[in-house]
Amino acid sequence: MAEITASLIKELREKTGAGMMECKKALTETNGDMEAAIDWLRKKGLSVAAKKAGRVAAQGLVGSKTTGTKGAVVEVNIETDFAAKNPDFRAYINSVVDTVLTDGDIEAKRAELTDLIAKIGENMSLRRTASLSVNKGVVASYLHSQEEAGLGKIGVLVALESEADADKLQVLAKQIAMHIAASAPKFKTIETVDADALAREKAIYSEKAKASGKPEAIIEKIVEGSIRKYYEEVVLMEQAYIMDPDKKIKDVLADAAKELGTSVELVDFVRFALGEGIEKKQEDFAAEVAAQMAK
């Protein structure tokens, strides 16, 4: 049996674009034969056809824009932070935001990427888009690590439904958006927590408590307490407000409703953090520049 080295796996990943574990399995199944491993991945449907498509695009920018009662946020990825500064790349992101904001043809924007990839010479991906709107109220946007107007590394939209003064609502929505950027909630309310995620958390807490040898009745209380803490970490309404940790977000909204003299409902929120969930390649800045010069 040939030794399946890290460099061999890396080479196969670069040639096929398949995941690390799939590449390792392919090399194991083919006794380290590179060409046979490529064929194995192709048969499994795991090899990316185009060479550029196989390169990891985890850099890029998040773009966002609002028009009072509607907002849009998009994430467009590219291989290197160096290329993310390209004016054409940035202009493309802004055009996608405008398209989402006006309910335009996103598929047409995806098609434009082919020409842009050829022009800039790096793989790109229009990874995701989202929009929020309200009938009465505001949609506010916040961009963290903003590099220029409308473009940053983390983008947040917050939609507030209310009859209150729009300017005052904008201030409140922007503050909550900043909180969301920092605290990264996964759900709006306890009722919207994913059932599978909750069951998984309960199982983990239960196993940990059982391993400590505590009685069943105590275990149940430990699990209940752990779930409450879990809610405070991942549920927006249960999170401690970063600007006043003595209050939860739901308290902040209730206080605002009293102050403004009318109901204030947080309809929804969206948070895009650049590259989250993408397996990134490790590369220093010097290597990044060298790669650009080679092109």
Side-chain angles (χ1 to χ4, degrees):
M1 174 65 72
E3 182 184 2
I4 309 303
T5 63
S7 60
L8 205 59
I9 294 171
K10 180 175 180 290
E11 181 181 352
L12 183 58
R13 284 196 67 198
E14 291 174 347
K15 288 185 176 181
T16 65
M20 181 177 69
M21 296 309 296
E22 287 83 4
C23 288
K24 183 177 180 181
K25 186 173 182 180
L27 288 164
T28 301
E29 291 290 330
T30 58
N31 198 29
D33 187 313
M34 183 61 66
E35 294 305 315
I38 292 173
D39 289 345
W40 188 92
L41 287 168
R42 290 184 64 191
K43 290 173 184 176
K44 298 290 183 181
L46 298 171
S47 179
V48 180
K51 187 176 180 182
K52 281 191 177 65
R55 302 203 306 239
V56 179
Q59 298 297 326
L61 288 165
V62 173
S64 183
K65 186 180 291 186
T66 61
T67 57
T69 57
K70 186 170 184 180
V73 60
V74 309
E75 179 185 355
V76 184
N77 301 120
I78 195 166
E79 290 180 56
T80 64
D81 187 58
F82 188 93
K85 302 183 188 304
N86 184 290
D88 292 329
F89 177 71
R90 296 189 170 201
Y92 172 77
I93 299 172
N94 284 319
S95 72
V96 174
V97 175
D98 289 336
T99 299
V100 176
L101 201 58
T102 57
D103 297 317
D105 187 356
I106 290 300
E107 292 310 308
K109 300 307 296 183
R110 292 186 190 278
E112 287 181 22
L113 270 182
T114 302
D115 292 337
L116 195 58
I117 289 170
K119 183 175 183 179
I120 296 178
E122 288 200 359
N123 183 30
M124 299 175 209
S125 170
L126 173 46
R127 189 184 183 202
R128 50 184 174 169
T129 69
S131 65
L132 294 179
S133 63
V134 293
N135 293 319
K136 283 279 189 177
V138 300
V139 176
S141 170
Y142 170 69
L143 282 162
H144 186 66
S145 297
Q146 183 166 292
E147 298 198 1
E148 62 180 70
L151 299 174
K153 300 294 186 181
I154 298 176
V156 177
L157 293 178
V158 170
L160 296 182
E161 188 87 43
S162 179
E163 296 280 351
D165 178 77
D167 290 338
K168 292 180 180 178
L169 285 175
Q170 271 288 346
V171 173
L172 174 62
K174 188 71 171 283
Q175 290 173 339
I176 293 175
M178 292 172 70
H179 166 93
I180 292 169
S183 300
K186 296 179 180 178
F187 310 100
K188 187 177 82 168
T189 63
I190 290 175
E191 292 73 24
T192 59
V193 173
D194 180 73
D196 291 338
L198 184 58
R200 186 165 56 250
E201 292 299 319
K202 285 182 177 178
I204 292 171
Y205 299 141
S206 180
E207 286 301 315
K208 283 184 177 180
K210 287 177 182 177
S212 67
K214 289 182 171 59
E216 191 64 34
I218 300 298
I219 289 174
E220 288 181 11
K221 290 183 179 180
I222 291 174
V223 172
E224 287 176 7
S226 298
I227 290 300
R228 281 196 298 271
K229 186 176 180 182
Y230 171 70
Y231 286 150
E232 291 170 358
E233 292 174 353
V234 302
V235 176
L236 174 60
M237 292 299 182
E238 304 301 316
Q239 287 183 333
Y241 186 37
I242 57 171
M243 297 182 187
D244 186 354
D246 291 333
K247 293 182 180 180
K248 293 184 178 182
I249 292 296
K250 60 184 179 183
D251 300 324
V252 172
L253 290 167
D255 290 347
K258 289 179 183 178
E259 182 182 333
L260 296 170
T262 186
S263 63
V264 179
E265 179 192 358
L266 196 155
V267 178
D268 207 352
F269 73 92
V270 177
R271 180 184 186 274
F272 284 178
L274 177 66
E276 61 186 350
I278 299 177
E279 186 178 353
K280 301 176 180 67
K281 61 184 177 181
Q282 299 299 313
E283 190 171 44
D284 59 26
F285 181 71
E288 190 174 302
V289 172
Q292 287 296 318
M293 292 179 68
K295 293 170 184 175

